[in-house]
């Protein structure tokens, strides 16, 4: 990390117990997750969209253009990843957004439900040089009421993308699948890598379910014992190795290690209304069940691109100290606390008993039980 741009003449100072912390200004932003839209063409029963407490809409093109003007202020910015609460392909200027990002020399990846990728769209994604496409693959054995599996549609989308890559003589985009493990599909998890490999998928990123209702807690796999976790991970790893697919797996046992991948990877999220938020979890307000306990996740923004530039927000004292604290895991840990059953703080993410806000004290992403592409 010695090559990171550091300005020793300016920075942020704050007090921590009996010490004064000085953080020189830096621009260690490497990846931006952009929620082009919080709208979606689907209404999946386990999706955050159905339970959020805020509105929906598309990212204004003027906000996106202003964001592009800030790219030069972050010398290590590598990737625009179009994803978020909604489906990026519903944005009326999705392809323009990709084209502009690629013109800036950025890697472009996206997470999509795959249902809007037509043959023409697949050809455009290949021609524009999109680096990676993650499709949220489904293979539920027990469907929720009113739900139909999209597995066949997803496989067809992968197949079209692979065919267009071959037709154009290109290796990109890399085809990746994002899969949520539940009690409903864990028994056939080892069958999935071979199926995906047959349509050109090279990476399988698995995560655990974040239940948003009490009913959905019945589908949650975790926490397992260390022995159970090892057996499940071995089973999936072996299946992926045989299929020639790279496996990216979460934890299934509850660990005391705290590790914020969003901060450690120098990432930020731009919400569809232009708000700059630290991660997916804190992007919107919604109910969440953490190990059988209900809580309210409250959206946390450090500023809006409608009002300030991204460099100004990134350098903001509150955001700088937030990232510094998370990088060093200096915050409360509710999941290890004997007072958890009687404490009021874990009921929301507004603050914790250390006085930090927003609170990351029982984040399932932080424990690597839940992970994002």
């Amino acid at each position: 990390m010695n090559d990171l741009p550091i300005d020793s003449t300016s920075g942020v100072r704050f007090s921590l117990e009996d010490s004064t912390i000085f953080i020189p200004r830096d621009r260690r932003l490497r990846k931006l997750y952009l929620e082009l839209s919080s709208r979606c063409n689907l209404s999946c029963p386990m999706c955050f969209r159905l339970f959020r407490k805020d509105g929906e809409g598309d990212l204004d093109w003027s906000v996106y253009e202003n964001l592009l003007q800030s790219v030069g202020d972050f010398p290590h910015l590598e990737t625009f990843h179009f994803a978020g609460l909604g489906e990026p392909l519903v944005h009326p200027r999705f392809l323009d957004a990709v084209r502009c990002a690629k013109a800036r020399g950025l890697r472009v990846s996206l997470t999509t439900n795959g249902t809007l990728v037509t043959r023409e769209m697949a050809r455009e994604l290949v021609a524009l040089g999109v680096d990676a496409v993650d499709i949220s693959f489904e293979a539920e054995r027990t469907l929720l009421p009113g739900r139909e599996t999209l597995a066949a549609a997803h496989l067809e989308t992968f197949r079209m993308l692979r065919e267009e890559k071959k037709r154009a003589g290109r290796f990109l985009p890399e085809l990746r699948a994002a899969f949520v493990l539940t009690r409903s599909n864990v028994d056939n998890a080892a069958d999935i890598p071979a199926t995906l490999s047959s349509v050109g998928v090279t990476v399988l990123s698995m995560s655990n379910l974040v239940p948003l209702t009490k009913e959905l807690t019945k589908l949650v796999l975790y926490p397992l014992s260390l022995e159970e976790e090892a057996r499940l991970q071995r089973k999936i790893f072996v299946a992926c190795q045989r299929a020639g697919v790279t496996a990216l797996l979460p934890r299934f046992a509850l660990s005391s290690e705290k590790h914020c991948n969003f901060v450690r990877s120098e990432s930020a999220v731009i919400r569809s209304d232009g708000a700059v938020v630290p991660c997916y979890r804190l992007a919107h307000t919604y109910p969440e069940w953490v190990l059988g306990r209900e809580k309210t996740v409250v959206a946390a923004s450090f500023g809006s691109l409608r009002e300030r530039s991204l460099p100004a927000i990134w350098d903001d004292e509150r955001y700088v100290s937030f990232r510094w604290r998370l990088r060093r895991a200096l915050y409360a840990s509710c999941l290890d606390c004997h007072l958890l059953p009687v404490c009021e703080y874990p009921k929301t993410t507004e603050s914790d008993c250390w006085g930090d806000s927003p609170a990351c004290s029982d984040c399932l992403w932080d424990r690597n039980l839940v992970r994002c592409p």
Side-chain angles (χ1 to χ4, degrees), residues 188-254:
N188 65 324
D191 300 328
I192 293 171
T195 300
L196 292 172
S197 178
S198 69
V199 291
V201 174
T202 58
V203 178
L204 175 57
S205 175
M206 289 192 170
S207 181
N208 277 300
L209 175 68
V210 180
L212 306 176
T213 66
K214 189 173 184 179
E215 178 190 15
L216 288 174
T217 61
K218 300 172 184 177
L219 293 176
V220 170
L221 275 173
Y222 55 89
L224 301 180
S225 67
L226 290 173
E227 293 76 13
E228 291 171 321
E229 177 186 60
R231 284 196 295 270
L232 178 56
Q233 289 185 332
R234 187 182 305 113
K235 173 183 174 182
I236 297 172
F237 266 122
V238 169
C240 285
Q241 285 180 329
R242 288 174 176 169
V245 173
T246 299
L248 304 175
L249 299 184
R251 293 296 306 268
F252 298 98
L254 187 59

Side-chain angles (χ1 to χ4, degrees), residues 137-143 149-151 179 184-186 188 192:
F137 184 74
E138 290 188 5
E140 293 291 327
R141 282 188 171 177
T142 304
L143 298 175
T149 182
L150 294 171
F179 185 76
S184 167
N185 60 36
V186 67
N188 65 324
I192 293 171

Side-chain angles (χ1 to χ4, degrees), residues 45-242:
M46 59 179 65
C47 180
F48 292 83
R49 288 186 61 258
L50 301 186
F51 302 91
R52 64 158 185 246
K53 303 300 181 182
D54 42 21
E56 63 178 26
D58 297 340
L59 186 69
D60 286 349
W61 188 251
S62 61
V63 171
Y64 185 71
E65 287 184 315
N66 289 337
L67 173 63
L68 289 172
Q69 297 301 317
S70 300
V71 167
D73 293 307
F74 298 94
H76 291 267
L77 182 58
E78 300 168 345
T79 303
F80 271 16
H81 186 91
F82 297 112
L85 194 62
E87 168 56 47
L89 270 67
V90 305
H91 193 285
R93 301 195 65 175
F94 165 72
L95 288 175
D96 289 335
V98 173
R99 191 173 292 110
C100 291
K102 293 300 295 184
R104 292 276 179 172
L106 295 166
R107 292 187 77 257
V108 170
S109 53
L110 69 134
T111 297
T112 172
N113 63 40
T115 61
L116 297 179
V117 181
T118 61
R119 176 68 65 173
E120 182 181 358
M121 175 64 73
R123 190 170 296 129
E124 286 280 1
L125 294 176
V126 173
L128 288 173
V130 170
D131 295 271
V133 175
D134 292 272
I135 295 181
S136 302
F137 184 74
E138 290 188 5
E140 293 291 327
R141 282 188 171 177
T142 304
L143 298 175
L144 295 169
R147 182 65 168 147
E148 295 181 3
T149 182
L150 294 171
H154 292 156
L155 292 174
E156 179 57 27
T157 300
F158 281 129
R159 193 174 290 110
M160 280 195 303
L161 286 165
R162 182 185 61 175
E163 290 171 356
E164 290 305 318
K165 286 167 57 178
K166 183 177 181 180
R167 186 190 64 82
R170 298 193 175 187
F171 293 103
L172 297 176
E174 180 179 37
L175 303 184
R176 309 188 301 205
F179 185 76
V180 177
L181 278 164
T182 68
R183 290 192 178 277
S184 167
N185 60 36
V186 67
D187 289 340
N188 65 324
D191 300 328
I192 293 171
T195 300
L196 292 172
S197 178
S198 69
V199 291
V201 174
T202 58
V203 178
L204 175 57
S205 175
M206 289 192 170
S207 181
N208 277 300
L209 175 68
V210 180
L212 306 176
T213 66
K214 189 173 184 179
E215 178 190 15
L216 288 174
T217 61
K218 300 172 184 177
L219 293 176
V220 170
L221 275 173
Y222 55 89
L224 301 180
S225 67
L226 290 173
E227 293 76 13
E228 291 171 321
E229 177 186 60
R231 284 196 295 270
L232 178 56
Q233 289 185 332
R234 187 182 305 113
K235 173 183 174 182
I236 297 172
F237 266 122
V238 169
C240 285
Q241 285 180 329
R242 288 174 176 169

Side-chain angles (χ1 to χ4, degrees), residues 234-310:
R234 187 182 305 113
K235 173 183 174 182
I236 297 172
F237 266 122
V238 169
C240 285
Q241 285 180 329
R242 288 174 176 169
V245 173
T246 299
L248 304 175
L249 299 184
R251 293 296 306 268
F252 298 98
L254 187 59
S255 168
S256 60
E257 180 183 4
K258 297 184 292 182
H259 185 103
C260 179
N261 283 320
F262 279 95
V263 168
R264 293 289 182 90
S265 63
E266 311 293 354
S267 301
V269 179
I270 309 298
R271 207 167 58 193
S272 61
D273 61 357
V276 178
V277 298
C279 62
Y280 277 155
R281 188 198 188 204
L282 296 173
H284 295 274
T285 299
Y286 58 90
E288 177 185 86
W289 288 74
V290 181
L291 300 179
R293 171 176 45 85
E294 185 177 16
K295 74 178 303 166
T296 300
V297 176
V298 180
S301 169
F302 290 100
S304 173
L305 295 180
R306 295 174 182 271
E307 302 167 357
R308 303 165 69 194
S309 69
L310 182 59

